[in-house]
Amino acid sequence: MDSVLAGAAGWRSGPPVGRSAEEVLGGLPWLRHALDEALTGTDGLREDAGQEQRLSAVVVPVFGEDGTQLGACARLRKSELPGPEAAREPQALCPGAAEERRAREHLEHQTSLLRATFDSITDGVIVVDLARRITAFNKRFQEMWGLTDAMMEERDAEKALASVEPWVTAPAQFIAFIRQGFEPSSAYRDYIVELRDGRVFECGSIPQMLGDAIIGRIWSYREVTAERQALAEQGRLLAAEHEARERLEESFALLDTFLNHAPIALGFIGRDLRCLRINDALAALHGRRREDDLGRTVREMTPQLAPIVEPLIRQVLDEGIPIIGLNMTGEGPGTSGEQRHWNVSYYPVRSASGTILGVGAVVAEITEEYRAQAERDRLLREAEEAIRVRDDFLSIAAHELKTPLTPLKLHLQMLKGQADASGHVVAPRHVDKALAQLARLSVLVNDLLDTSRIQAGKLELTTEPIPLREFIREVLSDFRGTNSLHSLWFEAPDEPLVIRGDRARLAQVLANLVENAFKYSPSGGTVRVTALRMGTEACVSVKDEGIGIPKEEQAHLFERFFRARNAPISGFGGLGLGLYICRDIIERHGGRIWVESEVEHGSTFHFALPCL
Ligand code: ADP
């Protein structure tokens, strides 16, 4: 409401916005009434005469683009009242003249309003009466259809229709549609017209009414070419996208089929290190199902290996060079502590333009192969060791068997020489030496025979109760006086210590331990033999002050052919069979044998047997 209207209405209570018309226009009831009428869709000219001036108002309804009424508008005009003379005179002279003038003014106003509206809208509009005469049109209509002024001047709708016919792509339907509209009908009609030059018009038509009577039809045309094109383009893009997606899904389905039936584990990691594709085999290595791994990061999928795997994948993404055949070791799911082995390769995956989209991972489990290889390596090492032991044994055996032969031959030759020279007198010294060498030979041969008996499980025992103290004393008596370098001591408790065993075999064990104690104490010293009761067992120990045995070799001492590395062949001859035989004999008696030793500080061999 402007200030003129506010003044005329006598409104002085501030800005009228938001206040009701009833309130604001309290001083102009006739105008409020006219506005009420206009709000029902009718327009008009209203006036009121006051003291000094006449007020008149054009009141029109206001419609939106879609045809709905938005409100009503009033334009107020003030004019001075003529003097009493003047007023009286013309009215007296021409009582209807003022009324007519006002009506004409109103009509002119309405027409100009309509014209302006008509020409300013962006739709092309034409009005045709029932006689098919063009009663109104706007410039836009003329432009849209390229109709000349001359043609429009003729006002002949049929003629205008004929002239636009060649423009239309489907003229027959278009003409039928228009002609249908020439018939009086209250229906709203619409139609899409496509023109040969590519333009598209949306056509709508409504009847033109005069009161209740249909007097013609109003046609409006709106160019929708761009919208149509955009719509068509959008449709085309949608279809293309749909097709592309279908094709992609098809190829993914194909890919998944291949992936899932592949005998090795496969996956595809995106640039953000998230899993985009994975097959059952690879997901199973993570202890999950394929669906559960999709979208997870490398770290989420395999937290243990992530510190190794992530930098490798990043390297492939950065450099585009594959990493092939990497051996990885780790724990698999649900196998606590068990190490598994994989052969892993990473390949860059590129788009058609060469951009690296991600990394393809190929993982082959090689735990079995790895174990088989480790087993093969172990067997190979054992075989090599066995060959080495055999070779060592052969050279030692040859040496050991040959050593007594030379002196034996020498002594026998001397015996023969003496016999030849002095008749039948033979020096006992030579006989003793020859016998000693023979004894050495028979020990070696017996050891070999015992070993093969043990191997064949044929070493038999003939057992009897043995009072240990007397028995040990008897065995040791054979050693007394044979060795000037060493002294031999024996200690045993007074209490009786009786075991059950094979006298000859147990004597062989004890003799072997004492011989070793002498043999491996090249600088002499005391060899102490003790017998003790240890609970239910009798324990016999042989202690020397010799070269000792390296710690790491002690566990192998009782194996066949084993000789410690600090026991060189020269000076310490032996086949590495004595302790092996001792262990077998003791264990056959239900006992056990072990050693305590320190290099350079001597060794103590113990064996324990159940007491009777
Ligand atoms: P060998 O005939 O070689 O003596 P043994 O089976 O009796 O065979 O002994 C095996 C190995 O144990 C010996 O070669 C030696 O290296 C070591 N050994 C045995 N007894 C002793 C000991 N008292 N002191 C140091 N080493 C010993």
mmCIF file of all heavy atoms in Angstrom, residues 120-140:
data_model
loop_
_atom_site.group_PDB
_atom_site.id
_atom_site.type_symbol
_atom_site.label_atom_id
_atom_site.label_comp_id
_atom_site.label_asym_id
_atom_site.label_seq_id
_atom_site.Cartn_x
_atom_site.Cartn_y
_atom_site.Cartn_z
ATOM 1 N N SER A 120 4.204 -9.068 -23.368
ATOM 2 C CA SER A 120 5.409 -9.280 -22.559
ATOM 3 C C SER A 120 5.638 -10.755 -22.219
ATOM 4 O O SER A 120 6.744 -11.138 -21.841
ATOM 5 C CB SER A 120 5.311 -8.470 -21.264
ATOM 6 O OG SER A 120 4.250 -8.991 -20.489
ATOM 7 N N ILE A 121 4.621 -11.582 -22.326
ATOM 8 C CA ILE A 121 4.838 -12.974 -21.916
ATOM 9 C C ILE A 121 5.667 -13.719 -22.963
ATOM 10 O O ILE A 121 5.685 -13.349 -24.141
ATOM 11 C CB ILE A 121 3.502 -13.727 -21.647
ATOM 12 C CG1 ILE A 121 2.613 -13.695 -22.885
ATOM 13 C CG2 ILE A 121 2.804 -13.210 -20.445
ATOM 14 C CD1 ILE A 121 1.361 -14.534 -22.740
ATOM 15 N N THR A 122 6.361 -14.731 -22.515
ATOM 16 C CA THR A 122 7.294 -15.434 -23.412
ATOM 17 C C THR A 122 6.592 -16.523 -24.213
ATOM 18 O O THR A 122 7.200 -17.140 -25.078
ATOM 19 C CB THR A 122 8.429 -16.082 -22.602
ATOM 20 O OG1 THR A 122 7.824 -16.844 -21.574
ATOM 21 C CG2 THR A 122 9.360 -15.054 -22.015
ATOM 22 N N ASP A 123 5.355 -16.815 -23.890
ATOM 23 C CA ASP A 123 4.607 -17.780 -24.684
ATOM 24 C C ASP A 123 3.960 -17.079 -25.869
ATOM 25 O O ASP A 123 3.610 -15.901 -25.777
ATOM 26 C CB ASP A 123 3.489 -18.397 -23.826
ATOM 27 C CG ASP A 123 4.071 -19.309 -22.766
ATOM 28 O OD1 ASP A 123 5.307 -19.482 -22.761
ATOM 29 O OD2 ASP A 123 3.297 -19.833 -21.944
ATOM 30 N N GLY A 124 3.814 -17.815 -26.956
ATOM 31 C CA GLY A 124 3.074 -17.280 -28.091
ATOM 32 C C GLY A 124 1.588 -17.554 -27.863
ATOM 33 O O GLY A 124 1.221 -18.671 -27.526
ATOM 34 N N VAL A 125 0.759 -16.506 -28.008
ATOM 35 C CA VAL A 125 -0.675 -16.688 -27.732
ATOM 36 C C VAL A 125 -1.496 -16.202 -28.917
ATOM 37 O O VAL A 125 -1.181 -15.191 -29.548
ATOM 38 C CB VAL A 125 -1.093 -15.913 -26.458
ATOM 39 C CG1 VAL A 125 -2.593 -16.081 -26.186
ATOM 40 C CG2 VAL A 125 -0.277 -16.360 -25.272
ATOM 41 N N ILE A 126 -2.539 -16.953 -29.231
ATOM 42 C CA ILE A 126 -3.453 -16.550 -30.295
ATOM 43 C C ILE A 126 -4.874 -16.887 -29.834
ATOM 44 O O ILE A 126 -5.082 -17.901 -29.154
ATOM 45 C CB ILE A 126 -3.097 -17.264 -31.635
ATOM 46 C CG1 ILE A 126 -4.030 -16.775 -32.742
ATOM 47 C CG2 ILE A 126 -3.088 -18.764 -31.504
ATOM 48 C CD1 ILE A 126 -3.597 -17.206 -34.140
ATOM 49 N N VAL A 127 -5.790 -16.009 -30.148
ATOM 50 C CA VAL A 127 -7.185 -16.259 -29.785
ATOM 51 C C VAL A 127 -7.996 -16.338 -31.081
ATOM 52 O O VAL A 127 -7.857 -15.468 -31.945
ATOM 53 C CB VAL A 127 -7.740 -15.134 -28.878
ATOM 54 C CG1 VAL A 127 -9.148 -15.468 -28.419
ATOM 55 C CG2 VAL A 127 -6.823 -14.903 -27.689
ATOM 56 N N VAL A 128 -8.761 -17.411 -31.202
ATOM 57 C CA VAL A 128 -9.541 -17.627 -32.437
ATOM 58 C C VAL A 128 -11.010 -17.788 -32.025
ATOM 59 O O VAL A 128 -11.305 -18.524 -31.077
ATOM 60 C CB VAL A 128 -9.041 -18.888 -33.165
ATOM 61 C CG1 VAL A 128 -9.857 -19.144 -34.424
ATOM 62 C CG2 VAL A 128 -7.559 -18.755 -33.497
ATOM 63 N N ASP A 129 -11.882 -17.074 -32.764
ATOM 64 C CA ASP A 129 -13.294 -17.216 -32.387
ATOM 65 C C ASP A 129 -13.932 -18.386 -33.116
ATOM 66 O O ASP A 129 -13.259 -19.078 -33.893
ATOM 67 C CB ASP A 129 -14.043 -15.892 -32.591
ATOM 68 C CG ASP A 129 -14.145 -15.526 -34.066
ATOM 69 O OD1 ASP A 129 -13.847 -16.411 -34.919
ATOM 70 O OD2 ASP A 129 -14.506 -14.376 -34.370
ATOM 71 N N LEU A 130 -15.218 -18.591 -32.856
ATOM 72 C CA LEU A 130 -15.857 -19.779 -33.420
ATOM 73 C C LEU A 130 -15.975 -19.703 -34.939
ATOM 74 O O LEU A 130 -16.130 -20.718 -35.617
ATOM 75 C CB LEU A 130 -17.236 -19.963 -32.784
ATOM 76 C CG LEU A 130 -17.200 -20.266 -31.281
ATOM 77 C CD1 LEU A 130 -18.600 -20.434 -30.726
ATOM 78 C CD2 LEU A 130 -16.396 -21.532 -31.005
ATOM 79 N N ALA A 131 -15.820 -18.461 -35.456
ATOM 80 C CA ALA A 131 -15.864 -18.304 -36.920
ATOM 81 C C ALA A 131 -14.478 -18.490 -37.513
ATOM 82 O O ALA A 131 -14.251 -18.194 -38.689
ATOM 83 C CB ALA A 131 -16.412 -16.919 -37.254
ATOM 84 N N ARG A 132 -13.583 -18.949 -36.692
ATOM 85 C CA ARG A 132 -12.184 -19.210 -37.090
ATOM 86 C C ARG A 132 -11.468 -17.929 -37.512
ATOM 87 O O ARG A 132 -10.617 -17.926 -38.389
ATOM 88 C CB ARG A 132 -12.100 -20.265 -38.212
ATOM 89 C CG ARG A 132 -12.817 -21.511 -37.785
ATOM 90 C CD ARG A 132 -12.622 -22.673 -38.658
ATOM 91 N NE ARG A 132 -13.428 -23.768 -38.109
ATOM 92 C CZ ARG A 132 -13.388 -25.013 -38.505
ATOM 93 N NH1 ARG A 132 -12.592 -25.348 -39.497
ATOM 94 N NH2 ARG A 132 -14.139 -25.918 -37.958
ATOM 95 N N ARG A 133 -11.852 -16.867 -36.887
ATOM 96 C CA ARG A 133 -11.164 -15.608 -37.127
ATOM 97 C C ARG A 133 -10.212 -15.365 -35.965
ATOM 98 O O ARG A 133 -10.531 -15.663 -34.803
ATOM 99 C CB ARG A 133 -12.175 -14.451 -37.202
ATOM 100 C CG ARG A 133 -12.960 -14.444 -38.518
ATOM 101 C CD ARG A 133 -13.676 -13.130 -38.704
ATOM 102 N NE ARG A 133 -12.804 -11.974 -38.631
ATOM 103 C CZ ARG A 133 -11.955 -11.587 -39.607
ATOM 104 N NH1 ARG A 133 -11.880 -12.301 -40.734
ATOM 105 N NH2 ARG A 133 -11.206 -10.516 -39.467
ATOM 106 N N ILE A 134 -9.078 -14.822 -36.303
ATOM 107 C CA ILE A 134 -8.085 -14.541 -35.253
ATOM 108 C C ILE A 134 -8.508 -13.253 -34.580
ATOM 109 O O ILE A 134 -8.567 -12.207 -35.229
ATOM 110 C CB ILE A 134 -6.681 -14.396 -35.862
ATOM 111 C CG1 ILE A 134 -6.278 -15.694 -36.570
ATOM 112 C CG2 ILE A 134 -5.659 -14.000 -34.813
ATOM 113 C CD1 ILE A 134 -5.046 -15.611 -37.427
ATOM 114 N N THR A 135 -8.834 -13.344 -33.317
ATOM 115 C CA THR A 135 -9.290 -12.134 -32.634
ATOM 116 C C THR A 135 -8.165 -11.473 -31.850
ATOM 117 O O THR A 135 -8.243 -10.296 -31.550
ATOM 118 C CB THR A 135 -10.464 -12.449 -31.683
ATOM 119 O OG1 THR A 135 -10.041 -13.506 -30.829
ATOM 120 C CG2 THR A 135 -11.704 -12.840 -32.421
ATOM 121 N N ALA A 136 -7.161 -12.187 -31.541
ATOM 122 C CA ALA A 136 -5.999 -11.600 -30.847
ATOM 123 C C ALA A 136 -4.790 -12.537 -31.026
ATOM 124 O O ALA A 136 -4.958 -13.735 -31.230
ATOM 125 C CB ALA A 136 -6.305 -11.431 -29.368
ATOM 126 N N PHE A 137 -3.596 -11.944 -30.931
ATOM 127 C CA PHE A 137 -2.354 -12.735 -30.962
ATOM 128 C C PHE A 137 -1.244 -11.858 -30.424
ATOM 129 O O PHE A 137 -1.403 -10.641 -30.363
ATOM 130 C CB PHE A 137 -2.019 -13.196 -32.397
ATOM 131 C CG PHE A 137 -1.736 -12.063 -33.324
ATOM 132 C CD1 PHE A 137 -0.433 -11.621 -33.537
ATOM 133 C CD2 PHE A 137 -2.766 -11.395 -33.978
ATOM 134 C CE1 PHE A 137 -0.164 -10.568 -34.386
ATOM 135 C CE2 PHE A 137 -2.493 -10.336 -34.823
ATOM 136 C CZ PHE A 137 -1.204 -9.912 -35.038
ATOM 137 N N ASN A 138 -0.186 -12.434 -30.029
ATOM 138 C CA ASN A 138 0.929 -11.581 -29.590
ATOM 139 C C ASN A 138 2.123 -11.764 -30.512
ATOM 140 O O ASN A 138 2.145 -12.652 -31.377
ATOM 141 C CB ASN A 138 1.262 -11.817 -28.112
ATOM 142 C CG ASN A 138 1.838 -13.201 -27.859
ATOM 143 O OD1 ASN A 138 1.905 -14.017 -28.771
ATOM 144 N ND2 ASN A 138 2.224 -13.460 -26.617
ATOM 145 N N LYS A 139 3.093 -10.882 -30.298
ATOM 146 C CA LYS A 139 4.280 -10.845 -31.169
ATOM 147 C C LYS A 139 5.014 -12.185 -31.121
ATOM 148 O O LYS A 139 5.506 -12.675 -32.127
ATOM 149 C CB LYS A 139 5.244 -9.749 -30.677
ATOM 150 C CG LYS A 139 4.813 -8.376 -31.049
ATOM 151 C CD LYS A 139 5.405 -8.008 -32.421
ATOM 152 C CE LYS A 139 4.786 -6.717 -32.941
ATOM 153 N NZ LYS A 139 4.029 -6.937 -34.190
ATOM 154 N N ARG A 140 5.071 -12.744 -29.921
ATOM 155 C CA ARG A 140 5.823 -13.983 -29.750
ATOM 156 C C ARG A 140 5.228 -15.091 -30.613
ATOM 157 O O ARG A 140 5.960 -15.871 -31.210
ATOM 158 C CB ARG A 140 5.783 -14.375 -28.248
ATOM 159 C CG ARG A 140 6.461 -15.670 -27.922
ATOM 160 C CD ARG A 140 7.964 -15.578 -28.022
ATOM 161 N NE ARG A 140 8.569 -16.877 -27.761
ATOM 162 C CZ ARG A 140 9.512 -17.430 -28.508
ATOM 163 N NH1 ARG A 140 9.980 -16.797 -29.558
ATOM 164 N NH2 ARG A 140 9.997 -18.607 -28.192
#
